Amino acid sequence: MADLQDEADVATAAIGALDRPTPRKRGSKPKPKPADPTPEAEPEAVAPSDTLDPDVRTRIHALLRAHPVADGYNTLAQVLVNTPWHDVELGESSLDTDIPRLRHGGVGAQFWSLMVAADCPDPVSATLERVDRLRTLVDACPEGLRLAQAVGDLADARNHGRIASLFGPVAAHALGDSLGTVRAYHALGVRAVALTATASWTRAGLTRFGQEVVRELNRLGMVIDLSGAAPETVRQTLGAAKAPLIFTRSAARALTDHPLNVTDEVVDQLPENGGVCLVSFSPAQVARAGRAACVQDVADHLQHLRGVVGPDHIGLSGGYGLTAGAPRTVGLEDASCYPVLLAELIARGWDDTELAALTWGNFARVIRDVDFAARAAQPRRGPSTATIEDLDPT
C-alpha cells in the first residue's frame, strides 16, 4: 500500500478513501474469483453502508472525508491482551473492529479504552499491559494508525489518511491512589482518565485527594471521563474542572434507564463546561420497550440529547472492540456501520453542519480546549507531590 503521506492533495487522503480489502487472516490466501458466476461461488461481502441510497451514500462519503468519525470508546485492547494473534491490519472476522472496517466506517480518531474490571487484583499492571498491546498495534500498523497525544496530532493523522489513536480512558482504581502513576500514564501516551466509582476518592463524590487528581489531570492535559461516575462525583467535577469533560459511553437515561446513561439535568450543564456526551451504541444502553436495540434507537438518543443540549455537545461512541457473538445493536454491528447511523439522522433532517459537529468537531474541540487549559495551568502549577495519606487521612 502506498504511503498516504505521498499524496499530492492531502484533502483527498481522507479516512475511508482507500479500497476496502476483504477481511482475511494473515498468511491465508484469498480465494480466486471464478471466471463465470456459478451457484457455488461465494457472494462478495457487502458492507452495510453499501446498501444505502446512492445519493445519501455520496453525501455521507463527502462529509466523512472532511469530518471523519472521532469515536469515544473501543475495547480492542482487552481482546488483544487475551488473544493477541488477531490480524487487525488486514481484517479479522472474529472481531467487530479492524482497520479495513474502521476505514470503511469513516473513522478518523479513536479512543482505545484501557478500562479494567473493578475487581481486578492488580489494576495498574493490567492497564500497563493494555497500553503495551496498543503501542505494539500502532507501531505495527503505521499506514493505518498514528498515536495522538494532542489536538495537532488529530489533524495530522486525518490529513495523512491515518486513524488518530488516543489511549484511554483509564479507570480510577487503576491509578493506584498515586499522582505519580497518573504522570507515568501520561508519559506513556494515555490521555483520558475515567472517574469511575471504583476508588475511595470517587465513590461518593470527590475527596480532597480526588479534587487534587482533577487538578493534576487538568494540568497534564488529560481528558476527564465521567461515564460510570457517581452522581455526586459528576456534580463536583463539573464544578471543579478547568477544562471540558466528556462522557465517553453514555446515552440518555430519559429514554433508557441504565447506570452508564446520563440524566437531562446533567447533560444540561455541559455547555457551560464545554464538554461533550459521546452517545453509546451498546444495546443495553439504547434498547427501549423490551425489544432488540436497533440503529433507530441510537438515533432517538442522539435526537433527544440534541433537543436538551444542542448539537455542539454530543458525539459518537460505538463501543466496539468485541468478539463475534457479543450483543450488538441491529444495523450497527461493526466499525464499518457509522454511515448507516448518519443516513438515519439525515432522514430525520440533520444538516451537514450538525453532522460534522457530531462526527468530528465536538470531539476535536474538547481535545483542543483540554490542551489549551493545560498550557495555561503549567506555568502556574508544578507537578503535585500530594499523597492520598496526606489529603485523605483515615
Side-chain angles (χ1 to χ4, degrees):
M1 183 188 300
D3 191 329
L4 294 181
Q5 295 185 50
D6 296 333
E7 294 285 344
D9 181 4
V10 296
T12 66
I15 306 304
L18 300 182
D19 292 335
R20 184 178 188 235
T22 302
R24 61 183 178 89
K25 300 278 189 177
R26 186 187 297 273
S28 64
K29 295 182 179 180
K31 295 182 179 180
K33 185 177 180 180
D36 297 308
T38 65
E40 292 77 19
E42 293 187 4
E44 185 176 352
V46 177
S49 60
D50 292 340
T51 64
L52 299 177
D53 175 87
D55 291 339
V56 173
R57 186 170 64 246
T58 299
R59 176 180 169 184
I60 291 172
H61 184 68
L63 173 78
L64 291 177
R65 287 171 68 84
H67 308 283
V69 170
D71 183 89
Y73 200 83
N74 187 297
T75 62
L76 182 65
Q78 180 178 346
V79 176
L80 294 178
V81 167
N82 296 329
T83 50
W85 56 84
H86 291 301
D87 193 340
V88 175
E89 183 177 20
L90 295 182
E92 180 53 66
S93 61
S94 65
L95 299 174
D96 60 15
T97 301
D98 53 38
I99 292 176
R101 279 180 285 187
L102 288 168
R103 286 192 181 281
H104 202 77
V107 176
Q110 178 68 70
F111 256 123
W112 300 101
S113 169
L114 298 165
M115 299 288 283
V116 296
D119 60 355
C120 178
D122 189 352
V124 176
S125 293
T127 301
L128 290 173
E129 183 72 13
R130 284 162 170 71
V131 172
D132 179 68
R133 296 293 180 176
L134 286 177
R135 293 188 72 94
T136 300
L137 175 65
V138 172
D139 290 344
C141 303
E143 293 187 354
L145 305 176
R146 180 169 294 183
L147 180 63
Q149 301 183 67
V151 68
D153 298 328
L154 293 184
D156 184 63
R158 180 186 63 180
N159 292 339
H160 291 90
R162 308 304 197 268
I163 299 166
S165 297
L166 300 104
F167 292 175
V170 166
H173 61 287
L175 302 185
D177 297 337
S178 167
L179 295 174
T181 302
V182 174
R183 289 188 286 273
Y185 282 139
H186 182 268
L188 291 172
V190 175
R191 288 299 179 268
V193 170
L195 300 187
T196 48
T198 52
S200 63
W201 44 273
T202 59
R203 197 162 291 131
L206 293 173
T207 66
R208 290 181 63 203
F209 180 75
Q211 294 169 11
E212 189 72 358
V213 170
V214 168
R215 286 189 284 267
E216 189 68 1
L217 293 173
N218 285 168
R219 188 192 71 83
L220 289 168
M222 298 176 77
V223 177
I224 296 174
D225 171 22
L226 292 177
S227 286
E232 184 61 17
T233 299
V234 172
R235 186 189 69 80
Q236 292 181 9
T237 306
L238 281 165
K242 304 301 182 183
L245 307 166
I246 62 173
F247 292 83
T248 59
R249 46 175 178 149
S250 296
R253 187 168 288 192
L255 300 186
T256 305
D257 188 9
H258 187 280
L260 287 174
N261 289 350
V262 293
T263 64
D264 291 355
E265 291 75 17
V266 167
V267 174
D268 196 43
Q269 299 177 62
L270 286 179
E272 183 177 356
N273 169 265
V276 173
C277 178
L278 304 174
V279 175
S280 173
F281 297 0
S282 168
Q285 291 179 246
V286 299
R288 300 168 67 191
R291 55 180 171 79
C294 62
V295 63
Q296 288 79 13
D297 292 317
V298 177
D300 287 345
H301 280 261
L302 287 165
Q303 193 98 358
H304 176 84
L305 292 173
R306 183 182 68 162
V308 174
V309 78
D312 295 329
H313 300 280
I314 51 177
L316 301 177
S317 180
Y320 295 121
L322 306 175
T323 55
R328 290 177 175 82
T329 296
V330 176
L332 299 172
E333 289 84 0
D334 64 46
S336 72
C337 296
Y338 298 92
V340 178
L341 176 60
L342 298 184
E344 175 65 24
L345 296 176
I346 287 172
R348 297 180 183 216
W350 288 50
D351 62 34
D352 284 359
T353 299
E354 293 173 318
L355 294 174
L358 177 75
T359 58
W360 181 267
N362 297 338
F363 182 105
R365 186 192 70 244
V366 167
I367 303 300
R368 181 199 67 204
D369 290 352
V370 168
D371 283 353
F372 180 83
R375 289 195 298 271
Q378 286 167 6
R380 304 191 307 269
R381 176 181 170 89
S384 175
T385 58
T387 67
I388 193 169
E389 291 80 12
D390 294 334
L391 299 178
D392 295 346
T394 55

